Amino acid sequence: MAETAAAARSPGHDRVLAALALAQFICSFAGSNMNVMINDISEDLDTSVQGVQVAITVFLLVMAALMIPGGKLTDRYGRKRCFLAGLIVYAIGSLLSAAAPGLGVLILGNSIFQGVGTALLIPPVYILTTLLHPDLTSRARAFGIVMALGGIGAAAGPLIGGLITEGISWRAAFVFQALVVAVIVTLGRRLEDPLPPDPTRSFDTGGAILSALGLVLVVMGILAADNNVWLMIGLLVLGALVLLCFFRWVGAKERSGGQPLLSLTLFRNHTSNMGLVTQNTQWLLLMGTSFTVAAYLQVVRHFNAIETGVIFTAATLGLLISSLSAARLAKLRPQRTLIMAGFVVAIAGVALLIALAAAYTTAWAYVPGLLLIGLGLGGMLTPSVNVVQSSFPEDRQGEISGLSRSVSNLGSSFGTAIAGTILVSGLTKGAYAVAMITLAVAALIGLAAASRLPRTTAAGDRQPARPASPASH
């Protein structure tokens, strides 16, 4: 641990942290910037709003489905190697998307390649941030920077994407992503893996297939809601059965002394479980709001990409202010308090969005609500991640990081799929209100989970490491 702390103080540490934060930024940016390109892409590629929604959702879904295997691969091949491989795959996907002649190639580049690349590079971001910052205060500061860039990427994606789309083309937004990846690779040249890879670690291929298939079926079931209710029910039931088979598979493998994709002992930690629920609902709220408001403003209110992006600047500002205050807030208040307060503020923001949109047609009607949502989310993203990552020792960071990111990205998928399905089924003021109310209900579930977190101290004391379970070796 002393060596890890020394590494955290090395001259190249800030460059490494900048690389990790930028990686989170560009992946979050990719999940939201297409929201303001809906009209441009659908017209250019001769598709529909629903077609673009499918591309966005599949991107988020691929991330969620492959994040657990991606986290597990870091143990075998090393965090740096997976990080760089993910960046390369992501860049290829960006360039494919930029040159896409139709929706199919766009889905291949954006949804598949960028999704796979993200699943490879994001787990190392969280593992390395945890390992390089051994005490709670420094870890809160580092995660504050990473989550700030991630939140800004998601919230500012509409603005940056709108400016590029209106000024050049929606295709240039994907070239921009490839250029950012080049910057990340340059900054990450001094990146060193704190833990050596273990080539002898086996990989649970069967578990990876079952987990990915189950998650895909569940989200596809949600997407089918506005077309065929029976198909939706069938996909959801089938997805649940596949996930049940997955948990039985990993349980049997663990009992026989093997190395499952995901140890069930991870779910025996109450604090981590509640933290994972809060992460899921936070990203559901963020991405659901981003898609719903952006689609409504463009399709119903007929705002262009730049106008829509400028409105989302309010959310970006809120996220930036609260995220960058994470380290200071961690010293003053328990993480449970910060997460609960964040949900309360975000729910108030959703209520304002609904009320003001019903009363006014001006663009300014959306600013107060988005600002509150940004402040609330920025204030709780960092403590939620910190709660989960700090609940496990170093040798389990690969597993919990993959699970944590999978749960978060599944929340993003649910947000876009659920709210988007409600919205595109009838693009009216009523559908907009129902979609936002649905997101508020999800936030209430997150608030309930946060209330069950332990009442920890506010001081930046170091989180004691839990002893590793025999099953984790």
Side-chain angles (χ1 to χ4, degrees):
M1 189 66 74
E3 292 177 358
T4 304
R9 294 188 294 268
S10 64
H13 171 67
D14 289 341
R15 289 170 61 92
V16 170
L17 183 58
L20 300 177
L22 270 178
Q24 178 63 76
F25 165 84
I26 200 61
C27 293
S28 298
F29 172 85
S32 68
N33 83 110
M34 282 178 64
N35 292 339
V36 297
M37 306 175 188
I38 294 173
N39 286 338
D40 295 85
I41 292 177
S42 58
E43 291 175 6
D44 192 10
L45 301 184
D46 193 26
T47 185
S48 62
V49 171
Q50 190 172 19
V52 180
Q53 181 207 4
V54 168
I56 296 171
T57 304
V58 171
F59 165 70
L60 298 170
L61 176 58
V62 169
M63 285 197 296
L66 299 182
M67 203 65 75
I68 295 175
K72 199 70 173 179
L73 287 173
T74 61
D75 294 328
R76 182 171 182 174
Y77 297 108
R79 282 124 303 262
K80 180 176 181 179
R81 189 175 298 173
C82 288
F83 183 66
L84 294 177
L87 288 171
I88 293 171
V89 174
Y90 188 97
I92 293 172
S94 299
L95 297 177
L96 265 178
S97 301
L103 182 62
V105 176
L106 179 67
I107 291 176
L108 176 64
N110 173 249
S111 307
I112 307 302
F113 271 81
Q114 287 190 316
V116 171
T118 301
L120 284 172
L121 71 91
I122 286 298
V125 169
Y126 288 80
I127 297 170
L128 291 168
T129 302
T130 301
L131 296 180
L132 293 173
H133 302 86
D135 64 278
L136 183 61
T137 301
S138 66
R139 190 177 297 167
R141 173 185 173 273
F143 273 126
I145 294 172
V146 172
M147 298 312 297
L149 267 293
I152 290 170
L159 174 60
I160 300 173
L163 290 171
I164 296 175
T165 299
E166 291 294 318
I168 307 175
S169 163
W170 64 266
R171 298 177 186 275
F174 289 101
V175 177
F176 166 76
Q177 294 177 51
L179 293 175
V180 173
V181 168
V183 173
I184 296 170
V185 172
T186 302
L187 289 173
R189 285 181 302 176
R190 296 185 182 180
L191 175 62
E192 294 183 4
D193 206 331
L195 297 176
D198 183 3
T200 64
R201 291 287 287 265
S202 62
F203 183 75
D204 184 6
T205 304
I209 293 173
L210 287 172
S211 66
L213 179 60
L215 293 174
V216 167
L217 289 170
V218 169
V219 177
M220 293 306 293
I222 296 172
L223 288 174
D226 63 325
N227 293 324
N228 189 316
V229 175
W230 290 110
L231 177 61
M232 175 196 73
I233 295 173
L235 289 171
L236 289 176
V237 170
L238 185 58
L241 290 174
V242 173
L243 289 176
L244 178 61
C245 290
F246 164 71
F247 284 110
R248 290 177 64 88
W249 169 281
V250 297
K253 197 174 186 68
E254 194 167 21
R255 286 190 297 271
S256 66
Q259 295 181 357
L261 179 71
L262 188 69
S263 173
L264 296 183
T265 59
L266 291 176
F267 297 102
R268 296 174 187 168
N269 187 308
H270 172 80
T271 300
S272 173
N273 289 343
M274 293 301 101
L276 289 172
V277 174
T278 65
Q279 285 185 19
N280 181 273
T281 50
Q282 287 162 13
W283 284 97
L284 186 154
L285 178 60
L286 176 57
M287 300 306 296
T289 298
S290 179
F291 181 86
T292 301
V293 176
Y296 180 71
L297 290 178
Q298 292 175 91
V299 179
V300 178
R301 292 293 172 85
H302 304 294
F303 289 3
N304 63 32
I306 292 182
E307 291 170 334
T308 303
V310 169
I311 292 172
F312 272 92
T313 304
T316 307
L317 180 62
L319 274 160
L320 182 61
I321 293 172
S322 52
S323 293
L324 293 181
S325 303
R328 181 170 59 85
L329 292 174
K331 295 179 181 179
L332 301 175
R333 294 287 185 271
Q335 297 187 91
R336 172 181 180 270
T337 301
L338 296 176
I339 298 171
M340 290 183 66
F343 274 116
V344 171
V345 172
I347 291 170
V350 173
L352 268 180
L353 274 178
I354 297 172
L356 295 180
Y360 303 98
T361 58
T362 175
W364 291 105
Y366 299 87
V367 171
L370 289 173
L371 178 62
L372 283 181
I373 290 174
L375 285 169
L377 287 169
M380 59 181 165
L381 286 173
T382 296
S384 286
V385 171
N386 215 350
V387 161
V388 174
Q389 298 290 147
S390 299
S391 297
F392 296 91
E394 290 185 357
D395 63 341
R396 307 207 71 181
Q397 287 299 313
E399 282 184 297
I400 190 57
S401 179
L403 176 60
S404 172
R405 294 305 88 208
S406 179
V407 166
S408 296
N409 284 293
L410 190 60
S412 298
S413 300
F414 283 161
T416 304
I418 295 172
T421 297
I422 294 171
L423 191 67
V424 300
S425 63
L427 283 167
T428 64
K429 186 179 295 185
Y432 164 79
V434 172
M436 294 306 300
I437 290 171
T438 303
L439 296 175
V441 171
L444 287 173
I445 295 173
L447 177 60
S451 69
R452 299 189 62 191
L453 288 169
R455 299 175 182 272
T456 53
T457 58
D461 298 331
R462 176 173 161 174
Q463 179 82 10
R466 291 167 51 92
S469 164
S472 68
H473 297 291

